Amino acid sequence: MNCQNQEKINILLQNTLFYRNKSRYFEPKTVIEMPLVCKRDLQFSYNDLISDKEKNRPEIEYMKIRSSGSTGQIVEVLWNERDFVLSNLTLWRLRKKFYNITPTAKYITFHSLVYNGTQVENVANCEIKKTKVSLSINKYFISNETIDRYINSIIDFAPEWIFTQPSMIINLMSIMKQNNLISQKIFPNIKYIELNGETLLNAQRREISRFFGVPVANLYGATEVNGIAFQCPDGHMHIIEDNVHLQLFNSCQTNDGIIGDVAVTSLWNTKMPIIQYELGDRVKIYNNRVCKHHDGKIIDVLIGRSNLRMNVGQNSNISSYDLAYCIERTNTKFGDPILQYKLIRENSKNTLYLFIRTCFYGWKENIKNNVINLLKQFSQKNIDYNCVFIDEPMVVSENGKLKSMENKDDYSAY
Amino acid sequence: MTTETIKQEVIELISELFKDNGFDIDILEYVDLIDDLGMDSITFISIVVEVEAHFGIEVPDDMLLLENFRCLKNIVHTLSSILCDSN
């Protein structure tokens, strides 16, 4: 972190009760000396996290941003509008630089949630939401039977880019294929697709790019801090270093970098400073990787979350990170066949079902055996997994995102 | 780069951004982008992104104020000072 940003963060540390309390018995000179902050802190120390001079501002003068709750915990972060806008400016600079996309470029997206207070309602009240630059369609309404209703709206709107989750765009691709809808006719002006909110496998990125004929970029971010890393046309994930500072803990060195769990600090939020916030993700920061598109640090987001675990029986459990690792290893070995995956534990029978959707039909037995053998190595037990290959896009959870692991009372309902 | 050159290039950039508003490019020198053309945060970021890309600069954080971009004169003044510092 440069001196200017360090100074900015030091001021916020001193002027926010939560951080003063955390550093009561020592004087941190740098951000990395600060203890970690977790989601529970955002939920239960909410008022103490508001900086002193911002405490008595009227509600109308700030914004409340809520997370999607993909980890099961919804948190709310407060922003001054200026800070929020400038935090997003950092990402817009890269969108312009890499893909020539500007804030006035029209885009299409898909929504699923509406909040009633702090409670999430499962289905949004409105079908289509439209602004000057965006057209948002309710995820739960779009299907093979209803796609015709939306085609004209999409064509009339003429979006230049799509902004959504991988599971949604894969679902859309499937619907379009089944209805013989050609991408160039529905999206004639599309020049770019940006995906966020879920793991993006290389296989998915390739298939989506091939179908729509445009580049696909992965955005790694968090509602709490906005953009963290953004993918350039060469596939490198560049840390958005003028928006956040990344710190790794529980780390280990590799030949070409360092792997660890991520704590992130927002360089912009002065209303509710987010400093050394644990995301629950694991990343690799490369030592010396360079890219012609952009300077600065490059990372790999090691897909899955280290703190999300599933009981697989015989006193053993695996994390979504372990599962993701097995999938990626298999994809590397077989040329990226796995497009989507999900592990379900049926509670009533204590049975594990691994659902896999591939983008080509061969090698299923080999793929299945490879994934299951790797999973057994992680649990170090001979656990039985029932592998089910499916052709249809996978069903998303209530928050509109695809979870890689779930406990269900009855798997057949899935 | 002279101030006049900067001004002409900014006029072109902003005209492109506001082309759907149907306003006359000749009055750009006299309008307030916020009060007269309804510049919002999206447009503000758009102007910043476009001028940065066009002039090959990065506007320093402390100059990223709506006030510095609310009219042509202010934009030109801001960019001139950045370009002068970078030279």
Side-chain angles (χ1 to χ4, degrees):
Chain A
M1 192 188 290
N2 66 33
C3 292
Q4 191 183 6
N5 284 328
Q6 184 61 66
E7 208 177 298
K8 196 199 288 189
I9 299 299
N10 281 346
I11 293 172
L12 292 172
L13 286 174
Q14 286 153 28
N15 291 293
T16 309
L17 178 61
F18 178 82
Y19 296 109
R20 282 202 298 273
N21 287 345
K22 280 245 177 197
S23 57
R24 197 179 308 164
Y25 302 112
F26 68 105
E27 277 189 35
K29 300 257 183 319
T30 61
V31 159
I32 62 172
E33 293 173 21
M34 282 301 296
L36 298 173
V37 174
C38 62
K39 273 194 191 343
R40 282 179 62 83
D41 291 324
L42 286 193
Q43 289 173 313
F44 297 114
S45 302
Y46 185 79
N47 284 323
D48 292 350
L49 274 160
I50 300 173
S51 60
D52 296 342
K53 68 172 188 165
E54 296 286 338
K55 267 198 188 318
N56 297 318
R57 288 264 173 94
E59 224 176 88
I60 199 165
E61 288 187 15
Y62 57 87
M63 304 166 62
K64 282 186 194 180
I65 307 294
R66 290 188 180 96
S67 74
S68 64
S70 53
T71 54
Q73 301 166 291
I74 295 173
V75 295
E76 195 175 81
V77 177
L78 307 185
W79 287 84
N80 289 322
E81 191 182 344
R82 179 179 182 267
D83 292 344
F84 187 76
V85 167
L86 297 183
S87 170
N88 280 299
L89 170 64
T90 59
L91 173 57
W92 278 110
R93 282 173 170 148
L94 293 182
R95 283 178 178 141
K96 169 74 181 177
K97 185 175 182 178
F98 294 163
Y99 303 103
N100 200 26
I101 292 290
T102 62
T104 53
K106 289 192 283 185
Y107 69 95
I108 185 171
T109 186
F110 301 87
H111 61 271
S112 60
L113 296 175
V114 73
Y115 290 91
N116 177 10
T118 55
Q119 297 297 316
V120 175
E121 292 180 4
N122 283 338
V123 178
N125 291 329
C126 47
E127 199 172 331
I128 291 187
K129 294 193 268 193
K130 196 173 170 186
T131 69
K132 207 166 50 171
V133 294
S134 70
L135 178 71
S136 184
I137 301 173
N138 191 311
K139 283 182 190 184
Y140 293 102
F141 292 173
I142 197 162
S143 68
N144 274 328
E145 292 74 34
T146 63
I147 185 68
D148 286 341
R149 282 215 306 262
Y150 302 107
I151 287 176
N152 286 337
S153 300
I154 294 170
I155 295 175
D156 287 344
F157 189 68
E160 292 175 67
W161 59 294
I162 303 175
F163 179 62
T164 189
Q165 288 83 44
S167 60
M168 182 61 227
I169 198 91
I170 286 169
N171 188 26
L172 181 65
M173 277 162 58
S174 179
I175 293 170
M176 287 174 68
K177 281 180 196 167
Q178 287 175 49
N179 289 276
N180 297 317
L181 297 171
I182 302 171
S183 163
Q184 286 73 17
K185 288 216 167 124
I186 311 298
F187 298 98
N189 297 335
I190 212 84
K191 49 186 187 182
Y192 158 76
I193 293 172
E194 185 174 307
L195 302 174
N196 68 89
E198 291 167 4
T199 298
L200 177 63
L201 300 174
N202 286 335
Q204 293 169 331
R205 187 167 180 244
R206 186 197 62 226
E207 287 303 304
I208 295 163
S209 182
R210 191 181 288 172
F211 183 82
F212 287 95
V214 297
V216 174
N218 188 13
L219 170 65
Y220 171 52
T223 314
E224 294 89 332
V225 297
N226 295 324
I228 297 172
F230 187 56
Q231 197 167 37
C232 73
D234 284 352
H236 299 127
M237 291 292 288
H238 295 269
I239 298 177
I240 307 175
E241 291 181 274
D242 49 354
N243 185 46
V244 292
H245 172 75
L246 247 59
Q247 196 62 45
L248 299 188
F249 59 101
N250 296 335
S251 58
C252 57
Q253 296 281 350
T254 66
N255 288 343
D256 55 355
I258 178 167
I259 292 177
D261 295 332
V262 174
V264 67
T265 295
S266 167
L267 300 178
W268 285 103
N269 195 341
T270 58
K271 172 99 188 157
M272 190 176 192
I274 305 289
I275 298 171
Q276 287 282 73
Y277 178 64
E278 268 186 86
L279 285 180
D281 293 329
R282 202 156 172 80
V283 307
K284 178 180 189 175
I285 300 180
Y286 286 95
N287 285 336
N288 296 313
R289 189 165 282 193
V290 293
C291 174
K292 67 185 184 217
H293 293 286
H294 192 63
D295 295 331
K297 296 201 186 95
I298 291 172
I299 65 170
D300 267 341
V301 183
L302 304 178
I303 53 182
R305 287 183 176 241
S306 52
N307 58 2
L308 191 65
R309 305 192 77 84
M310 176 180 274
N311 175 4
V312 293
Q314 299 183 32
N315 292 323
S316 194
N317 61 62
I318 59 167
S319 72
S320 64
Y321 168 65
D322 300 332
L323 174 60
Y325 177 83
C326 298
I327 298 294
E328 280 286 48
R329 278 282 296 271
T330 306
N331 263 350
T332 303
K333 186 171 179 178
F334 292 97
D336 289 334
I338 300 174
L339 199 58
Q340 291 181 305
Y341 64 94
K342 191 179 183 94
L343 181 64
I344 291 184
R345 181 167 178 271
E346 191 183 30
N347 293 330
S348 57
K349 294 180 186 160
N350 207 22
T351 307
L352 295 166
Y353 294 94
L354 178 63
F355 290 90
I356 293 180
R357 182 166 173 245
T358 55
C359 48
F360 53 80
Y361 291 105
W363 297 92
K364 281 188 179 164
E365 199 60 27
N366 302 76
I367 291 166
K368 177 189 98 174
N369 290 339
N370 200 79
V371 175
I372 290 176
N373 286 339
L374 285 169
L375 283 171
K376 286 181 180 178
Q377 282 175 34
F378 266 106
S379 61
Q380 296 185 338
K381 297 275 169 69
N382 194 20
I383 311 277
D384 283 328
Y385 292 88
N386 297 287
C387 191
V388 181
F389 284 89
I390 61 172
D391 297 323
E392 295 299 315
M394 293 200 176
V395 176
V396 298
S397 305
E398 294 152 350
N399 65 359
K401 295 184 184 176
L402 183 64
K403 282 186 185 169
S404 61
M405 297 163 71
E406 257 188 299
N407 289 300
K408 288 229 177 254
D409 291 327
D410 174 11
Y411 100 94
S412 63
Y414 172 76
Chain B
M1 189 178 275
T2 65
T3 308
E4 187 57 34
T5 309
I6 295 173
K7 180 177 155 188
Q8 290 308 318
E9 292 183 15
V10 170
I11 288 175
E12 271 184 50
L13 289 173
I14 294 183
S15 317
E16 184 60 27
L17 277 173
F18 284 96
K19 67 181 179 205
D20 293 335
N21 287 44
F23 79 99
D24 187 346
I25 189 178
D26 294 330
I27 66 164
L28 186 58
E29 253 182 285
Y30 310 105
V31 298
D32 183 299
L33 296 179
I34 299 173
D35 294 339
D36 301 326
L37 295 186
M39 178 168 80
D40 53 14
S41 57
I42 290 176
T43 325
F44 166 62
I45 298 182
S46 300
I47 293 174
V48 172
V49 164
E50 290 294 350
V51 299
E52 285 184 343
H54 182 83
F55 292 99
I57 57 170
E58 189 167 299
V59 178
D61 295 350
D62 56 350
M63 294 176 91
L64 285 167
L65 301 166
L66 268 176
E67 194 55 37
N68 287 346
F69 290 84
R70 79 178 297 150
C71 61
L72 181 65
K73 180 177 149 203
N74 288 10
I75 297 173
V76 172
H77 177 76
T78 302
L79 294 178
S80 298
S81 122
I82 296 169
L83 286 163
C84 185
D85 283 347
S86 66
N87 285 337

